[in-house]
Structure formats: C-alpha cells, structure tokens
Amino acid sequence: MSLIGFSNLSAGFGENVLFENASFDVYEKETVGVIGANGVGKTTLFRIITGECDDFTGEVIKQKDAVVGYMQQYACDGSELCVFDEALTVFDDLKKIETRLEEIAKEIDSAGADEKLIEEQLFLNEKYQRNDGLSYKNRTKAALIGLGFSKEDLVMPVKNLSGGQRSKLALCKLLLSKCDLMLLDEPTNHLDIESVEWLEDFIRDFKGAAMIISHDRFFLDKLTSKTVEIENKRITVRKGNYSRNAELKQFELETQRRNYDNTMAQVHRIEGIIAQQKQWNRQRNIKTAESKQKMIDRMTKDLVEPQETQEKISFGFLQKYESGNDVLIAENLSKSFDGKTLFRNVNLDIKKGDRVFFLGANGSGKTTLLKILVGKEEADSGFFRFGANVKIGYFDQTLEGLNSRKTAFDEVYDSNRMMNVTQIRSAMARFSFKGEDVNKKMDELSGGERAKIALLKLMLTGANVLILDEPTNHLDINSREALEEALGEFEGTLIAVSHDRYFINKLSKTIIKLDENTTEVFDGGYDDYHRVVTERKSAETIKPSKPVVNDYKLRKEQESKKRKLTTQISKTEQEIEQTENELSIAENELQNSGGDADYETLLELTRNIAGLKEKIESLLEKWEELNEEISKYE
C-alpha cells in the first residue's frame, strides 16, 4: 500500500526549476535512496513531504494518520538543551499533558472540585496512560544508553557533542517518535564506520518506510530497494539499489541513444529525398515532398534526444618525478591529548606505489597521525622519515588551507604563479568552474565547491605521495567517481583516511586498523578487512569462554550479590505491579464518582493518584538501576 504519493510534482525558486512533473509512490516498509548532485532539490523534496516547503505545484498524497520523522543533515544544530532533554522533545505532547494535569491539581486545591475540571482530568489521565506517559522518560534513557551514551553524557549540552553523537541523538528521537516514514538527509556524515554499520542495522530492523538522501554508495547498496534520482530537472524512479540504478540508467541511455540515432538516420535519408523532389519542382514531386515531410513529423513527434548526464569533473594526478622505493618508515609513534592515549606503537613501512588506508573509530587519532606525517602536529614519542625524492600533497578534510577572502581564481593562481591565466582557467574548467564562477569569493562557495578547489590545487602540485584526510566528505557521487578514477590512474603512493567504504574498496591495497594500543595490517579493500574481522568475531563466539576469575571466595561473593539483586528485582517488579493496581483502582474510583463525591474525597483521590504515579516512576528507575547492576555479573 502506498504510504505517500506524488502526482505531477514540480518545484523551484523563481526561474530556477529544480524538478518538474514527477509522479511516483513510496510504499509501506520500502527503503528508497534519493540521489543526485548537490543543489538539484533532494532536500527540497524532503521539506515538501514535511510541509516546511509549500513552493511547489502538483499533489502530495499521504496515508491518513501517517507519521513522518525527519533527520536533517545538520542534526540538532542550535539546541540549547542537554542530551536527555533534547531527546524528550519527541514527547512534547505528553509534557503538555503533565503541565496541564499539574495546573488542574492546583486549581482543585485552591478552588475546590469542579465538574468540568474533573472531566478534563479524567480525560487527560486516560490519554496520558494510553500514550505510555508513565514510562516515556525511562524508555528515552534506555534508548540513549543503548545507542552508546553514558549516564554522564545525558546531562551534557547538545552543543558540546561531536557530529557523530548528534547524529545518534537525532536517530534516537526518530526511534522514539514511532514514525511510519523516516526521512534521513546524509545520515552517515560525521559517523565512523562502526557507527554507520550500527545505523544500517537500525534501518534494516525499522518497521516503517524510509527515504535516504546520501552520497554513500556502499550504504545505499546495502539498504535500498528503489532509487529516486534527480537530474536534469527530472525525477526518475528505478527499482534496485544504487549500483542497480546505475546499470539500468546506462542501459536506458544506450537504448535511447541507439533509437535516436537510428531514427535520425532515417530522417536525414528522407530529408535527402525531399530536397531532391523539391529540385524537380513538379506537382507530383511537390506532393511527394509534402508526404515525406509528414512522415518525418510523425517520426520525430515523440522523439526525445537523450539527455547527457551531469557534467563530471575531469582531472588526473601527475607526479613531476618519481620517489625512491622507500617512501615512509615510522617506528613506535605515539600521541596523547589531555591524558587520553590516541595511539601508540605505530610502525609503518610504506613503499612506492602502495595504497594504504587507515581505519579506526572516531577519536582513534587517524587525522592526528596524518597531521604528524605532514608536520602539522608532533608525536609524543617515536620517529618517522620519508624516503628520497618524496614530494607530499596533503588534503585536509577541514579545508583550513583555503583563504575565504580570496576569489576561487586567486586561490588557485596564487599557489601556481608559473602558470598563466589561460592555463589556470583551463584547469578550473575541468572542475566545472567556468565563466564568472572563477570570480566567486571562496566564502560564497558550497562545501563541495571548496573541496574541488582544494583537489585542483593538490592536482597541480605534481606530488608523488598523496596524503588524503576524508577527501570524499563534501563531494557528490559524480565527483567521488571522478576522484576515484583519477586516483586509480595515479602512479605514485596513496596514504588516506576515509569512512567511504565504496571509495576504500576501489583503491585500497592495504588497510591499517588504528587503536590506542597498536596497529593491525590487513591486505586488500574494505570487503577483505570486514570478512577477516567478521570471521574472527564468529570464532571467538564459538570458542568456549575461559573463567575470568578462578578465586573460589570471589566467585561465591559474586554469586551471592547476584542472588540478592535477583531478589530485589523480583520484589521491585511485584511492588510496581501492586502500585499499578492501586493506581487503576484509584482512577476507577475517581471516574465512577462522576463528580458527585464531596470536595475532600475528590481532593484526596487526586492527591493519591499523583502520589502513586510518582511512586511508579521511582520504582521504574530503581528497577532499571538494579538490572544494570546485575548485568555486570552475567
């Protein structure tokens, strides 16, 4: 069944048309990838669905009572709340009921029982319980902890969270919202690979439908069964994931081109006949020419010339001279910040032509290690040296090296004074900077455009060793593919950090896993690395576990503590059940009174209900703490 449908949908701003006449459906339990270059209207499509954008024509038909949840690209930006309170914003309706119930209780205390107040109180109490009002705070806390937040994190201001933590907080809000359609805008931004894999499991287990805007091809391939592509002001819908969409698109283009070329060949042949008939200029010839022209009109009436795909950037990394065979030697490098060890005992032996990717969780020091290698940071211990004739080109994921006050042209030209204006403009044109685009100020450019300028400058260095820190972060799919092609043809040495698994698979020959204790080397791409890690985990699961502690006395103490906790949990559960029964009896008594009881009785019932609710909340918190404690002895 269709969850949401679009009919003849068109959108744009002024004369800038984003897409037009689009019609398609998203069905229940369907996961849909939304792809296209930056600026084609992907986020606008989401804003139309949520009702934030009304500048469109056509129809959007949503299933009645369908709930839409939206995780935006810049999740929870600008929030002044702490983590727990931000997550609770999902339950603003319940919090409003709580506030109103408190107001009613005060009004009854001060002015006495009023029939309308009692009816409102009964109605709100029933609605509050029906919507899990008694447990929503505990469910929120459990969800946050399940996503990796500690109890200390719950009171941390949202503005102090990392990008990955904000994404997880936004996902928690989606999880709690019980939405039917989940809209995710670049959800893998700022997440390390382990977090992305957690997100994949989350979406795979989600019971509703999902639409995902992403440039992460590996992520899309694992999850999506339909692809919505926005290109050349058109929305095209194809069954299958990203890779299947690319295959179908290529087949369609080839078929369209072949049909167009064959038809036009026929048209040109008939036009030759028409020209010949017109030369003879007789009545019969004129009729023949008119007949042939009608034939051309019929053939070309619905003929559409195949639209070329978006113009891709085109470039290559050409080294000015070769390095020696030994490119980089490092021994026992270590680094700590504020007493926290990022990594230690990093040993490297990188040869000419190697393609090495560093993997590790956020905070494991991957970027710091690259900065040490290019001289922007210093190691705490150990040493490293580059070999003979090594010329380094460095891509910084923060794009710090770009001057926001310069024009795009000046930013490139000032680093390449040996090139003339024509050469610079020609190079910039290969990166889609043409005409007046070259005179735009750097701070006016999008993140993707700034990344292209940084890549262009890197290309012009002639480096034979490229050190790249998340080079695909700001790039759309077409630009990523162009970068992969250029790096695939690069004959020098590549050292990189990336969480783009598709990118890693295309280019990696060696993966080095980085953690605070040591490094581990894996041959091949991401798939090879993942297979080894998965097999290792499976073997550890099957292997009988050895007793961690053999001390008899300690084991007996732990068993005793576990028994006591089990007893406490059982008693707490009984007390919760008993208190809930008391609450139910009290609420029924209040409801059955119909407002006929005297003021003191109604007041006492109201106070009793409020006290029972507080007791249940306290018992639930105690039950959660006991379960957390007993889990340590499992």
Side-chain angles (χ1 to χ4, degrees):
M1 182 183 292
S2 175
L3 188 64
I4 186 167
F6 306 90
S7 178
N8 296 317
L9 187 68
S10 300
F13 305 99
E15 295 181 358
N16 179 28
V17 176
L18 293 172
F19 48 80
E20 51 191 354
N21 301 323
S23 298
F24 65 96
D25 292 278
V26 175
Y27 297 96
E28 294 176 348
K29 299 182 181 180
E30 190 172 49
T31 305
V32 180
V34 182
I35 64 173
N38 292 332
V40 296
K42 303 185 296 294
T43 299
T44 298
L45 177 62
F46 275 16
R47 294 180 69 241
I48 289 172
I49 295 172
T50 61
E52 295 176 62
C53 174
D54 55 11
D55 191 9
F56 68 92
T57 59
E59 281 189 288
V60 180
I61 306 158
K62 275 191 284 190
Q63 195 179 102
K64 188 180 178 183
D65 300 326
V67 177
V68 177
Y70 183 19
M71 177 186 165
Q72 300 183 48
Q73 185 172 353
Y74 304 101
C76 303
D77 275 6
S79 174
E80 295 295 326
L81 302 174
C82 70
V83 169
F84 186 59
D85 288 342
E86 178 63 34
L88 287 178
T89 59
V90 172
F91 301 104
D92 280 346
D93 288 346
L94 285 174
K95 290 159 76 176
K96 287 177 182 176
I97 293 176
E98 286 177 340
T99 302
R100 180 56 188 153
L101 285 171
E102 290 172 3
E103 290 173 351
I104 291 173
K106 289 178 182 177
E107 288 178 33
I108 291 175
D109 273 345
S110 61
D114 176 90
E115 186 175 343
K116 288 185 178 179
L117 279 177
I118 296 296
E119 287 179 0
E120 184 182 1
Q121 187 182 52
L122 290 171
F123 171 76
L124 290 177
N125 265 317
E126 192 276 330
K127 183 178 180 181
Y128 186 74
Q129 291 181 58
R130 188 174 64 247
N131 290 287
D132 299 324
L134 296 174
S135 62
Y136 78 92
K137 289 182 181 177
N138 282 298
R139 285 194 295 114
T140 301
K141 189 181 296 182
L144 287 167
I145 290 172
L147 288 172
F149 290 96
S150 67
K151 285 191 174 180
E152 293 73 23
D153 291 336
L154 301 189
V155 295
M156 183 187 296
V158 171
K159 61 187 177 184
N160 292 351
L161 298 180
S162 68
Q165 288 175 313
R166 291 188 191 192
S167 294
K168 285 190 174 183
L169 176 56
L171 287 167
C172 179
K173 292 171 67 175
L174 274 184
L175 176 64
L176 294 167
S177 71
K178 297 181 179 179
C179 59
D180 304 293
L181 174 62
M182 185 162 55
L183 305 179
L184 304 173
D185 192 348
E186 294 290 356
T188 63
N189 279 4
H190 311 296
L191 297 183
D192 57 33
I193 289 177
E194 290 181 1
S195 298
V196 172
E197 289 174 342
W198 172 88
L199 175 58
E200 287 167 352
D201 291 337
F202 171 83
I203 295 172
R204 199 178 289 112
D205 294 338
F206 180 62
K207 303 302 181 185
M211 295 181 72
I212 306 169
I213 295 173
S214 183
H215 298 308
D216 188 332
R217 296 155 292 172
F218 199 99
F219 182 74
L220 292 170
D221 271 351
K222 290 194 75 172
L223 293 172
T224 58
S225 57
K226 179 190 285 186
T227 301
V228 172
E229 182 169 17
I230 307 178
E231 186 178 45
N232 293 325
K233 302 178 183 179
R234 293 176 58 204
I235 291 181
T236 305
V237 182
R238 301 181 181 93
K239 287 186 177 180
N241 58 18
Y242 166 79
S243 293
R244 180 57 178 159
N245 174 77
E247 291 171 2
L248 292 171
K249 179 181 177 181
Q250 185 60 35
F251 177 77
E252 289 169 9
L253 285 171
E254 289 173 358
T255 302
Q256 288 173 7
R257 173 61 64 186
R258 187 166 55 251
N259 290 340
Y260 180 81
D261 290 343
N262 290 340
T263 301
M264 290 308 296
Q266 286 278 63
V267 167
H268 295 325
R269 183 182 64 80
I270 296 170
E271 284 176 340
I273 295 173
I274 292 173
Q276 186 182 58
Q277 294 294 323
K278 285 182 177 179
Q279 280 181 345
W280 291 339
N281 200 27
R282 296 176 183 169
Q283 185 67 27
R284 185 180 64 185
N285 303 123
I286 291 172
K287 286 184 178 180
T288 301
E290 290 173 349
S291 174
K292 295 293 184 184
Q293 184 58 53
K294 289 178 182 178
M295 186 184 297
I296 288 177
D297 294 341
R298 286 195 300 271
M299 293 170 65
T300 58
K301 180 182 178 183
D302 298 318
L303 185 66
V304 178
E305 183 174 4
Q307 288 185 307
E308 297 299 327
T309 56
Q310 182 203 15
E311 181 184 12
K312 292 185 179 181
I313 62 175
S314 171
F315 62 103
F317 295 99
L318 299 176
Q319 49 184 348
K320 291 180 179 177
Y321 45 82
E322 289 189 19
S323 69
N325 189 55
D326 294 322
V327 169
L328 173 62
I329 298 290
E331 292 186 10
N332 298 322
L333 291 177
S334 69
K335 186 67 177 178
S336 299
F337 276 122
D338 297 328
K340 181 184 183 300
T341 300
L342 296 181
F343 54 80
R344 62 162 65 95
N345 302 323
V346 173
N347 297 287
L348 304 171
D349 184 6
I350 297 176
K351 305 295 185 183
K352 181 176 69 174
D354 282 352
R355 296 166 178 270
V356 178
F357 280 77
F358 289 103
L359 296 189
N362 285 344
S364 61
K366 303 183 298 295
T367 292
T368 301
L369 178 57
L370 295 193
K371 287 186 174 181
I372 289 171
L373 296 180
V374 298
K376 292 181 176 291
E377 295 275 359
E378 289 188 5
D380 293 339
S381 62
F383 79 95
F384 70 94
R385 68 172 182 272
F386 286 98
N389 295 325
V390 166
K391 180 175 175 57
I392 296 171
Y394 174 57
F395 181 92
D396 181 354
Q397 65 164 309
T398 64
L399 306 177
E400 278 186 359
L402 302 178
N403 190 329
S404 61
R405 295 186 298 274
K406 290 182 180 180
T407 65
F409 177 86
D410 289 339
E411 180 66 35
V412 179
Y413 180 65
D414 288 348
S415 301
N416 298 275
R417 290 287 185 173
M418 299 299 292
M419 299 174 65
N420 60 40
V421 171
T422 301
Q423 290 171 323
I424 294 290
R425 279 185 168 271
S426 177
M428 294 184 74
R430 293 164 67 185
F431 281 69
S432 302
F433 287 92
K434 299 176 181 178
E436 285 304 309
D437 289 342
V438 302
N439 294 320
K440 285 182 179 179
K441 286 287 184 68
M442 291 298 297
D443 59 4
E444 296 174 355
L445 302 182
S446 67
E449 289 170 325
R450 287 164 58 84
K452 288 178 185 178
I453 292 294
L455 286 171
L456 172 56
K457 291 176 64 177
L458 185 64
M459 179 190 82
L460 296 174
T461 62
N464 51 33
V465 176
L466 298 177
I467 298 181
L468 312 179
D469 187 11
E470 299 288 5
T472 64
N473 262 7
H474 302 280
L475 302 179
D476 58 29
I477 289 176
N478 285 334
S479 299
R480 292 183 187 206
E481 290 175 345
L483 177 60
E484 285 166 0
E485 186 176 339
L487 291 173
E489 295 173 355
F490 176 58
E491 295 180 353
T493 305
L494 176 63
I495 301 170
V497 167
S498 178
H499 69 269
D500 186 334
R501 294 162 293 175
Y502 203 99
F503 183 74
I504 298 170
N505 267 340
K506 282 273 191 177
L507 297 168
S508 175
K509 291 182 180 177
T510 304
I511 286 176
I512 298 179
K513 178 69 180 295
L514 200 64
D515 64 32
E516 65 180 67
N517 294 313
T518 186
T519 56
E520 188 173 4
V521 180
F522 300 83
D523 291 330
Y526 177 79
D527 285 343
D528 302 300
Y529 157 79
H530 189 263
R531 182 168 54 253
V532 172
V533 172
T534 303
E535 289 172 356
R536 186 181 295 171
K537 285 181 180 177
S538 299
E540 289 173 356
T541 303
I542 295 170
K543 191 190 301 179
S545 58
K546 296 179 182 178
V548 177
V549 178
N550 292 320
D551 188 274
Y552 177 80
K553 182 180 178 182
L554 180 58
R555 189 167 65 251
K556 285 297 183 182
E557 286 177 356
Q558 289 177 337
E559 288 174 355
S560 175
K561 288 179 181 178
K562 186 177 178 181
R563 282 196 300 272
K564 288 178 181 177
L565 286 168
T566 302
T567 302
Q568 286 180 279
I569 289 171
S570 179
K571 286 182 178 178
T572 305
E573 287 173 345
Q574 291 173 8
E575 196 172 353
I576 289 171
E577 184 177 356
Q578 181 181 341
T579 309
E580 286 178 338
N581 289 336
E582 291 176 12
L583 177 63
S584 179
I585 291 169
E587 287 177 336
N588 286 335
E589 190 175 344
L590 180 62
Q591 188 170 7
N592 292 334
S593 70
D596 296 332
D598 59 74
Y599 166 71
E600 286 78 11
T601 302
L602 290 172
L603 184 60
E604 182 61 29
L605 281 171
T606 302
R607 286 174 175 168
N608 187 32
I609 289 169
L612 290 170
K613 286 180 180 179
E614 287 181 10
K615 185 177 179 181
I616 289 171
E617 186 78 24
S618 176
L619 287 169
L620 286 169
E621 287 182 4
K622 179 182 177 182
W623 179 85
E624 183 185 335
E625 289 171 1
L626 289 169
N627 274 280
E628 188 175 336
E629 183 67 23
I630 201 173
S631 67
K632 298 175 183 177
Y633 300 100
E634 295 296 338

